[in-house]
Amino acid sequence: MRRFLRERSLSLVFGGLFLAALVGQFFAGHADYNERQAALGQPVLSLGAYLFSADFLVDVVENWQSEYLQFFLYVTATVWLIQRGSPESKPADKAGLDTDKNQQVGRYTNEDSPKWARVGGWRTTFYSTSLGLVMLALFLFSWTMQWIAGWYANNSDPLAEQTGLFQYFLSADFWNRSLQNWQSEFLAIASMAILSVYLRQRGSPESKPVGAAHSVSDRSG
């Protein structure tokens, strides 16, 4: 059991932090929502009603969609784009899809390789892009959920202008919710790519070795 927990500690710790933050957001959001409702003389919601409300859902998924957009763009853009000296980037001479030999696909697979890396054809092509595709699908799903939940929450507000679903997609509220999250994700990616050129975190795979030259991009330095 100890080995099991140690070897999965990264996902377990961040999964626990996610649940704790989500629960905290739920209670804080419920209190904030009821304070606003009371100030406007509107009915307040119980905890159970707020849990299944569009207001809570839209607050959750608008953050999810921006995170999945960040990872989709990151895992796909770093195939071709580089940042000299950053461990978040490949060296300039390795930009691109890389060779079958280095990627261990087709005849270069071994007995432990995933089946779809070995069989060739559309399955290997699909598997070769599966991480980016799943991140894109999760982004589109959560962004769609934000759209629908935001529209429902807007139309449930007696003080807001009632709109159709597609009209809400073009509204300032929908795009403000989306863009305020996107800009922060893009800033975080750019900051990590640039700061990791000059700064170090000993022992982290996201950092170069402490003594590596600033100009070195790969971690092996």
PDB file of all heavy atoms in Angstrom, residues 165-193:
ATOM      1  N   LEU A 165     -30.442  30.913 -26.630  1.00  0.00           N
ATOM      2  CA  LEU A 165     -29.185  30.212 -26.391  1.00  0.00           C
ATOM      3  C   LEU A 165     -28.070  30.743 -27.300  1.00  0.00           C
ATOM      4  O   LEU A 165     -26.965  31.011 -26.836  1.00  0.00           O
ATOM      5  CB  LEU A 165     -29.378  28.708 -26.608  1.00  0.00           C
ATOM      6  CG  LEU A 165     -28.158  27.816 -26.345  1.00  0.00           C
ATOM      7  CD1 LEU A 165     -27.674  27.955 -24.915  1.00  0.00           C
ATOM      8  CD2 LEU A 165     -28.486  26.358 -26.660  1.00  0.00           C
ATOM      9  N   PHE A 166     -28.339  30.888 -28.583  1.00  0.00           N
ATOM     10  CA  PHE A 166     -27.308  31.362 -29.501  1.00  0.00           C
ATOM     11  C   PHE A 166     -27.063  32.856 -29.341  1.00  0.00           C
ATOM     12  O   PHE A 166     -25.950  33.333 -29.564  1.00  0.00           O
ATOM     13  CB  PHE A 166     -27.697  31.017 -30.940  1.00  0.00           C
ATOM     14  CG  PHE A 166     -27.608  29.543 -31.223  1.00  0.00           C
ATOM     15  CD1 PHE A 166     -28.732  28.737 -31.157  1.00  0.00           C
ATOM     16  CD2 PHE A 166     -26.385  28.951 -31.527  1.00  0.00           C
ATOM     17  CE1 PHE A 166     -28.649  27.371 -31.400  1.00  0.00           C
ATOM     18  CE2 PHE A 166     -26.290  27.586 -31.758  1.00  0.00           C
ATOM     19  CZ  PHE A 166     -27.417  26.788 -31.698  1.00  0.00           C
ATOM     20  N   GLN A 167     -28.072  33.581 -28.925  1.00  0.00           N
ATOM     21  CA  GLN A 167     -27.870  35.001 -28.629  1.00  0.00           C
ATOM     22  C   GLN A 167     -26.950  35.166 -27.431  1.00  0.00           C
ATOM     23  O   GLN A 167     -26.100  36.060 -27.402  1.00  0.00           O
ATOM     24  CB  GLN A 167     -29.216  35.684 -28.364  1.00  0.00           C
ATOM     25  CG  GLN A 167     -29.112  37.183 -28.157  1.00  0.00           C
ATOM     26  CD  GLN A 167     -30.461  37.831 -27.874  1.00  0.00           C
ATOM     27  OE1 GLN A 167     -31.497  37.149 -27.837  1.00  0.00           O
ATOM     28  NE2 GLN A 167     -30.460  39.134 -27.667  1.00  0.00           N
ATOM     29  N   TYR A 168     -27.098  34.285 -26.440  1.00  0.00           N
ATOM     30  CA  TYR A 168     -26.219  34.350 -25.265  1.00  0.00           C
ATOM     31  C   TYR A 168     -24.775  34.047 -25.639  1.00  0.00           C
ATOM     32  O   TYR A 168     -23.844  34.611 -25.059  1.00  0.00           O
ATOM     33  CB  TYR A 168     -26.694  33.383 -24.182  1.00  0.00           C
ATOM     34  CG  TYR A 168     -25.806  33.415 -22.949  1.00  0.00           C
ATOM     35  CD1 TYR A 168     -25.848  34.487 -22.062  1.00  0.00           C
ATOM     36  CD2 TYR A 168     -24.885  32.392 -22.705  1.00  0.00           C
ATOM     37  CE1 TYR A 168     -25.019  34.544 -20.968  1.00  0.00           C
ATOM     38  CE2 TYR A 168     -24.054  32.433 -21.605  1.00  0.00           C
ATOM     39  CZ  TYR A 168     -24.123  33.520 -20.735  1.00  0.00           C
ATOM     40  OH  TYR A 168     -23.284  33.574 -19.656  1.00  0.00           O
ATOM     41  N   PHE A 169     -24.557  33.162 -26.625  1.00  0.00           N
ATOM     42  CA  PHE A 169     -23.196  32.841 -27.061  1.00  0.00           C
ATOM     43  C   PHE A 169     -22.473  34.088 -27.559  1.00  0.00           C
ATOM     44  O   PHE A 169     -21.244  34.195 -27.442  1.00  0.00           O
ATOM     45  CB  PHE A 169     -23.232  31.787 -28.164  1.00  0.00           C
ATOM     46  CG  PHE A 169     -21.875  31.362 -28.649  1.00  0.00           C
ATOM     47  CD1 PHE A 169     -21.131  30.429 -27.937  1.00  0.00           C
ATOM     48  CD2 PHE A 169     -21.332  31.896 -29.815  1.00  0.00           C
ATOM     49  CE1 PHE A 169     -19.870  30.040 -28.373  1.00  0.00           C
ATOM     50  CE2 PHE A 169     -20.072  31.511 -30.261  1.00  0.00           C
ATOM     51  CZ  PHE A 169     -19.343  30.580 -29.538  1.00  0.00           C
ATOM     52  N   LEU A 170     -23.215  35.037 -28.107  1.00  0.00           N
ATOM     53  CA  LEU A 170     -22.623  36.280 -28.624  1.00  0.00           C
ATOM     54  C   LEU A 170     -22.632  37.405 -27.601  1.00  0.00           C
ATOM     55  O   LEU A 170     -22.192  38.515 -27.903  1.00  0.00           O
ATOM     56  CB  LEU A 170     -23.387  36.727 -29.881  1.00  0.00           C
ATOM     57  CG  LEU A 170     -23.413  35.731 -31.046  1.00  0.00           C
ATOM     58  CD1 LEU A 170     -24.304  36.268 -32.166  1.00  0.00           C
ATOM     59  CD2 LEU A 170     -22.008  35.436 -31.553  1.00  0.00           C
ATOM     60  N   SER A 171     -23.109  37.106 -26.400  1.00  0.00           N
ATOM     61  CA  SER A 171     -23.266  38.155 -25.394  1.00  0.00           C
ATOM     62  C   SER A 171     -21.942  38.512 -24.733  1.00  0.00           C
ATOM     63  O   SER A 171     -20.990  37.722 -24.702  1.00  0.00           O
ATOM     64  CB  SER A 171     -24.259  37.716 -24.320  1.00  0.00           C
ATOM     65  OG  SER A 171     -23.709  36.667 -23.525  1.00  0.00           O
ATOM     66  N   ALA A 172     -21.902  39.716 -24.160  1.00  0.00           N
ATOM     67  CA  ALA A 172     -20.710  40.165 -23.438  1.00  0.00           C
ATOM     68  C   ALA A 172     -20.450  39.300 -22.208  1.00  0.00           C
ATOM     69  O   ALA A 172     -19.294  39.044 -21.847  1.00  0.00           O
ATOM     70  CB  ALA A 172     -20.868  41.625 -23.033  1.00  0.00           C
ATOM     71  N   ASP A 173     -21.506  38.838 -21.544  1.00  0.00           N
ATOM     72  CA  ASP A 173     -21.339  38.032 -20.332  1.00  0.00           C
ATOM     73  C   ASP A 173     -20.607  36.732 -20.643  1.00  0.00           C
ATOM     74  O   ASP A 173     -19.660  36.354 -19.922  1.00  0.00           O
ATOM     75  CB  ASP A 173     -22.706  37.722 -19.713  1.00  0.00           C
ATOM     76  CG  ASP A 173     -22.591  36.897 -18.447  1.00  0.00           C
ATOM     77  OD1 ASP A 173     -22.136  37.437 -17.423  1.00  0.00           O
ATOM     78  OD2 ASP A 173     -22.957  35.695 -18.470  1.00  0.00           O
ATOM     79  N   PHE A 174     -21.001  36.052 -21.712  1.00  0.00           N
ATOM     80  CA  PHE A 174     -20.372  34.776 -22.053  1.00  0.00           C
ATOM     81  C   PHE A 174     -18.908  34.970 -22.411  1.00  0.00           C
ATOM     82  O   PHE A 174     -18.031  34.239 -21.934  1.00  0.00           O
ATOM     83  CB  PHE A 174     -21.111  34.109 -23.210  1.00  0.00           C
ATOM     84  CG  PHE A 174     -20.441  32.856 -23.700  1.00  0.00           C
ATOM     85  CD1 PHE A 174     -20.502  31.693 -22.952  1.00  0.00           C
ATOM     86  CD2 PHE A 174     -19.743  32.847 -24.896  1.00  0.00           C
ATOM     87  CE1 PHE A 174     -19.870  30.532 -23.387  1.00  0.00           C
ATOM     88  CE2 PHE A 174     -19.112  31.696 -25.343  1.00  0.00           C
ATOM     89  CZ  PHE A 174     -19.180  30.535 -24.596  1.00  0.00           C
ATOM     90  N   TRP A 175     -18.608  35.955 -23.241  1.00  0.00           N
ATOM     91  CA  TRP A 175     -17.234  36.154 -23.677  1.00  0.00           C
ATOM     92  C   TRP A 175     -16.370  36.772 -22.586  1.00  0.00           C
ATOM     93  O   TRP A 175     -15.155  36.522 -22.530  1.00  0.00           O
ATOM     94  CB  TRP A 175     -17.206  36.980 -24.956  1.00  0.00           C
ATOM     95  CG  TRP A 175     -17.586  36.117 -26.110  1.00  0.00           C
ATOM     96  CD1 TRP A 175     -18.809  36.050 -26.729  1.00  0.00           C
ATOM     97  CD2 TRP A 175     -16.761  35.137 -26.739  1.00  0.00           C
ATOM     98  NE1 TRP A 175     -18.790  35.090 -27.707  1.00  0.00           N
ATOM     99  CE2 TRP A 175     -17.555  34.517 -27.743  1.00  0.00           C
ATOM    100  CE3 TRP A 175     -15.449  34.724 -26.564  1.00  0.00           C
ATOM    101  CZ2 TRP A 175     -17.047  33.503 -28.554  1.00  0.00           C
ATOM    102  CZ3 TRP A 175     -14.949  33.708 -27.380  1.00  0.00           C
ATOM    103  CH2 TRP A 175     -15.742  33.114 -28.365  1.00  0.00           C
ATOM    104  N   ASN A 176     -16.956  37.543 -21.694  1.00  0.00           N
ATOM    105  CA  ASN A 176     -16.189  38.042 -20.549  1.00  0.00           C
ATOM    106  C   ASN A 176     -15.781  36.890 -19.647  1.00  0.00           C
ATOM    107  O   ASN A 176     -14.628  36.822 -19.184  1.00  0.00           O
ATOM    108  CB  ASN A 176     -17.020  39.057 -19.761  1.00  0.00           C
ATOM    109  CG  ASN A 176     -16.284  39.575 -18.538  1.00  0.00           C
ATOM    110  OD1 ASN A 176     -15.181  40.081 -18.626  1.00  0.00           O
ATOM    111  ND2 ASN A 176     -16.896  39.425 -17.366  1.00  0.00           N
ATOM    112  N   ARG A 177     -16.697  35.951 -19.397  1.00  0.00           N
ATOM    113  CA  ARG A 177     -16.382  34.783 -18.578  1.00  0.00           C
ATOM    114  C   ARG A 177     -15.270  33.948 -19.221  1.00  0.00           C
ATOM    115  O   ARG A 177     -14.376  33.443 -18.533  1.00  0.00           O
ATOM    116  CB  ARG A 177     -17.627  33.911 -18.390  1.00  0.00           C
ATOM    117  CG  ARG A 177     -18.648  34.457 -17.405  1.00  0.00           C
ATOM    118  CD  ARG A 177     -19.848  33.525 -17.317  1.00  0.00           C
ATOM    119  NE  ARG A 177     -20.821  33.942 -16.322  1.00  0.00           N
ATOM    120  CZ  ARG A 177     -20.775  33.605 -15.043  1.00  0.00           C
ATOM    121  NH1 ARG A 177     -19.789  32.842 -14.613  1.00  0.00           N
ATOM    122  NH2 ARG A 177     -21.703  34.009 -14.205  1.00  0.00           N
ATOM    123  N   SER A 178     -15.334  33.797 -20.540  1.00  0.00           N
ATOM    124  CA  SER A 178     -14.347  32.973 -21.231  1.00  0.00           C
ATOM    125  C   SER A 178     -12.986  33.654 -21.293  1.00  0.00           C
ATOM    126  O   SER A 178     -11.958  33.075 -20.902  1.00  0.00           O
ATOM    127  CB  SER A 178     -14.826  32.659 -22.664  1.00  0.00           C
ATOM    128  OG  SER A 178     -15.998  31.876 -22.651  1.00  0.00           O
ATOM    129  N   LEU A 179     -12.968  34.887 -21.756  1.00  0.00           N
ATOM    130  CA  LEU A 179     -11.698  35.570 -22.003  1.00  0.00           C
ATOM    131  C   LEU A 179     -10.939  35.909 -20.727  1.00  0.00           C
ATOM    132  O   LEU A 179      -9.702  35.925 -20.718  1.00  0.00           O
ATOM    133  CB  LEU A 179     -11.935  36.832 -22.834  1.00  0.00           C
ATOM    134  CG  LEU A 179     -12.393  36.562 -24.272  1.00  0.00           C
ATOM    135  CD1 LEU A 179     -12.824  37.858 -24.944  1.00  0.00           C
ATOM    136  CD2 LEU A 179     -11.292  35.886 -25.080  1.00  0.00           C
ATOM    137  N   GLN A 180     -11.662  36.168 -19.627  1.00  0.00           N
ATOM    138  CA  GLN A 180     -10.949  36.479 -18.390  1.00  0.00           C
ATOM    139  C   GLN A 180     -10.200  35.261 -17.874  1.00  0.00           C
ATOM    140  O   GLN A 180      -9.188  35.382 -17.171  1.00  0.00           O
ATOM    141  CB  GLN A 180     -11.920  37.006 -17.322  1.00  0.00           C
ATOM    142  CG  GLN A 180     -12.894  35.972 -16.774  1.00  0.00           C
ATOM    143  CD  GLN A 180     -13.759  36.528 -15.659  1.00  0.00           C
ATOM    144  OE1 GLN A 180     -13.390  37.503 -15.016  1.00  0.00           O
ATOM    145  NE2 GLN A 180     -14.927  35.942 -15.450  1.00  0.00           N
ATOM    146  N   ASN A 181     -10.678  34.071 -18.223  1.00  0.00           N
ATOM    147  CA  ASN A 181      -9.954  32.853 -17.858  1.00  0.00           C
ATOM    148  C   ASN A 181      -8.853  32.542 -18.860  1.00  0.00           C
ATOM    149  O   ASN A 181      -7.752  32.124 -18.482  1.00  0.00           O
ATOM    150  CB  ASN A 181     -10.927  31.669 -17.772  1.00  0.00           C
ATOM    151  CG  ASN A 181     -11.774  31.706 -16.529  1.00  0.00           C
ATOM    152  OD1 ASN A 181     -11.335  31.328 -15.457  1.00  0.00           O
ATOM    153  ND2 ASN A 181     -13.005  32.165 -16.649  1.00  0.00           N
ATOM    154  N   TRP A 182      -9.125  32.736 -20.135  1.00  0.00           N
ATOM    155  CA  TRP A 182      -8.125  32.419 -21.154  1.00  0.00           C
ATOM    156  C   TRP A 182      -6.876  33.274 -20.997  1.00  0.00           C
ATOM    157  O   TRP A 182      -5.761  32.759 -21.099  1.00  0.00           O
ATOM    158  CB  TRP A 182      -8.715  32.613 -22.550  1.00  0.00           C
ATOM    159  CG  TRP A 182      -9.810  31.660 -22.891  1.00  0.00           C
ATOM    160  CD1 TRP A 182     -10.308  30.660 -22.097  1.00  0.00           C
ATOM    161  CD2 TRP A 182     -10.551  31.615 -24.095  1.00  0.00           C
ATOM    162  NE1 TRP A 182     -11.328  29.999 -22.742  1.00  0.00           N
ATOM    163  CE2 TRP A 182     -11.501  30.566 -23.973  1.00  0.00           C
ATOM    164  CE3 TRP A 182     -10.531  32.367 -25.273  1.00  0.00           C
ATOM    165  CZ2 TRP A 182     -12.399  30.260 -24.994  1.00  0.00           C
ATOM    166  CZ3 TRP A 182     -11.421  32.059 -26.289  1.00  0.00           C
ATOM    167  CH2 TRP A 182     -12.344  31.011 -26.145  1.00  0.00           C
ATOM    168  N   GLN A 183      -7.049  34.575 -20.760  1.00  0.00           N
ATOM    169  CA  GLN A 183      -5.870  35.434 -20.676  1.00  0.00           C
ATOM    170  C   GLN A 183      -4.955  35.032 -19.526  1.00  0.00           C
ATOM    171  O   GLN A 183      -3.729  35.098 -19.622  1.00  0.00           O
ATOM    172  CB  GLN A 183      -6.281  36.915 -20.581  1.00  0.00           C
ATOM    173  CG  GLN A 183      -7.200  37.277 -19.417  1.00  0.00           C
ATOM    174  CD  GLN A 183      -6.479  37.609 -18.126  1.00  0.00           C
ATOM    175  OE1 GLN A 183      -5.262  37.776 -18.122  1.00  0.00           O
ATOM    176  NE2 GLN A 183      -7.208  37.686 -17.045  1.00  0.00           N
ATOM    177  N   SER A 184      -5.543  34.569 -18.420  1.00  0.00           N
ATOM    178  CA  SER A 184      -4.712  34.156 -17.288  1.00  0.00           C
ATOM    179  C   SER A 184      -3.952  32.873 -17.595  1.00  0.00           C
ATOM    180  O   SER A 184      -2.798  32.698 -17.170  1.00  0.00           O
ATOM    181  CB  SER A 184      -5.572  33.972 -16.029  1.00  0.00           C
ATOM    182  OG  SER A 184      -6.498  32.914 -16.193  1.00  0.00           O
ATOM    183  N   GLU A 185      -4.569  31.959 -18.366  1.00  0.00           N
ATOM    184  CA  GLU A 185      -3.897  30.721 -18.734  1.00  0.00           C
ATOM    185  C   GLU A 185      -2.746  30.998 -19.697  1.00  0.00           C
ATOM    186  O   GLU A 185      -1.655  30.421 -19.566  1.00  0.00           O
ATOM    187  CB  GLU A 185      -4.884  29.743 -19.379  1.00  0.00           C
ATOM    188  CG  GLU A 185      -6.066  29.365 -18.514  1.00  0.00           C
ATOM    189  CD  GLU A 185      -5.680  28.716 -17.208  1.00  0.00           C
ATOM    190  OE1 GLU A 185      -4.564  28.153 -17.120  1.00  0.00           O
ATOM    191  OE2 GLU A 185      -6.474  28.768 -16.262  1.00  0.00           O
ATOM    192  N   PHE A 186      -2.964  31.885 -20.660  1.00  0.00           N
ATOM    193  CA  PHE A 186      -1.906  32.209 -21.610  1.00  0.00           C
ATOM    194  C   PHE A 186      -0.738  32.899 -20.905  1.00  0.00           C
ATOM    195  O   PHE A 186       0.435  32.649 -21.214  1.00  0.00           O
ATOM    196  CB  PHE A 186      -2.451  33.102 -22.722  1.00  0.00           C
ATOM    197  CG  PHE A 186      -3.557  32.472 -23.523  1.00  0.00           C
ATOM    198  CD1 PHE A 186      -4.522  33.258 -24.142  1.00  0.00           C
ATOM    199  CD2 PHE A 186      -3.649  31.100 -23.655  1.00  0.00           C
ATOM    200  CE1 PHE A 186      -5.538  32.685 -24.880  1.00  0.00           C
ATOM    201  CE2 PHE A 186      -4.677  30.504 -24.395  1.00  0.00           C
ATOM    202  CZ  PHE A 186      -5.617  31.305 -25.004  1.00  0.00           C
ATOM    203  N   LEU A 187      -1.055  33.762 -19.947  1.00  0.00           N
ATOM    204  CA  LEU A 187      -0.011  34.430 -19.173  1.00  0.00           C
ATOM    205  C   LEU A 187       0.792  33.413 -18.375  1.00  0.00           C
ATOM    206  O   LEU A 187       2.029  33.499 -18.288  1.00  0.00           O
ATOM    207  CB  LEU A 187      -0.622  35.472 -18.240  1.00  0.00           C
ATOM    208  CG  LEU A 187       0.356  36.178 -17.283  1.00  0.00           C
ATOM    209  CD1 LEU A 187       1.392  36.975 -18.073  1.00  0.00           C
ATOM    210  CD2 LEU A 187      -0.399  37.076 -16.313  1.00  0.00           C
ATOM    211  N   ALA A 188       0.111  32.431 -17.773  1.00  0.00           N
ATOM    212  CA  ALA A 188       0.799  31.421 -16.962  1.00  0.00           C
ATOM    213  C   ALA A 188       1.757  30.594 -17.820  1.00  0.00           C
ATOM    214  O   ALA A 188       2.890  30.304 -17.407  1.00  0.00           O
ATOM    215  CB  ALA A 188      -0.224  30.511 -16.284  1.00  0.00           C
ATOM    216  N   ILE A 189       1.329  30.204 -19.035  1.00  0.00           N
ATOM    217  CA  ILE A 189       2.197  29.434 -19.919  1.00  0.00           C
ATOM    218  C   ILE A 189       3.430  30.244 -20.301  1.00  0.00           C
ATOM    219  O   ILE A 189       4.567  29.764 -20.238  1.00  0.00           O
ATOM    220  CB  ILE A 189       1.431  29.001 -21.180  1.00  0.00           C
ATOM    221  CG1 ILE A 189       0.365  27.961 -20.837  1.00  0.00           C
ATOM    222  CG2 ILE A 189       2.400  28.415 -22.205  1.00  0.00           C
ATOM    223  CD1 ILE A 189      -0.484  27.555 -22.016  1.00  0.00           C
ATOM    224  N   ALA A 190       3.195  31.484 -20.721  1.00  0.00           N
ATOM    225  CA  ALA A 190       4.319  32.337 -21.128  1.00  0.00           C
ATOM    226  C   ALA A 190       5.278  32.575 -19.968  1.00  0.00           C
ATOM    227  O   ALA A 190       6.504  32.539 -20.140  1.00  0.00           O
ATOM    228  CB  ALA A 190       3.792  33.662 -21.666  1.00  0.00           C
ATOM    229  N   SER A 191       4.738  32.796 -18.776  1.00  0.00           N
ATOM    230  CA  SER A 191       5.580  33.039 -17.600  1.00  0.00           C
ATOM    231  C   SER A 191       6.434  31.829 -17.273  1.00  0.00           C
ATOM    232  O   SER A 191       7.633  31.952 -16.981  1.00  0.00           O
ATOM    233  CB  SER A 191       4.711  33.409 -16.396  1.00  0.00           C
ATOM    234  OG  SER A 191       3.976  34.589 -16.636  1.00  0.00           O
ATOM    235  N   MET A 192       5.832  30.634 -17.318  1.00  0.00           N
ATOM    236  CA  MET A 192       6.578  29.415 -17.010  1.00  0.00           C
ATOM    237  C   MET A 192       7.669  29.175 -18.034  1.00  0.00           C
ATOM    238  O   MET A 192       8.807  28.815 -17.680  1.00  0.00           O
ATOM    239  CB  MET A 192       5.621  28.215 -16.971  1.00  0.00           C
ATOM    240  CG  MET A 192       6.265  26.919 -16.552  1.00  0.00           C
ATOM    241  SD  MET A 192       6.909  26.982 -14.862  1.00  0.00           S
ATOM    242  CE  MET A 192       7.564  25.329 -14.696  1.00  0.00           C
ATOM    243  N   ALA A 193       7.342  29.383 -19.313  1.00  0.00           N
ATOM    244  CA  ALA A 193       8.329  29.154 -20.367  1.00  0.00           C
ATOM    245  C   ALA A 193       9.525  30.088 -20.227  1.00  0.00           C
ATOM    246  O   ALA A 193      10.677  29.675 -20.412  1.00  0.00           O
ATOM    247  CB  ALA A 193       7.680  29.341 -21.729  1.00  0.00           C
TER     248      ALA A 193
END
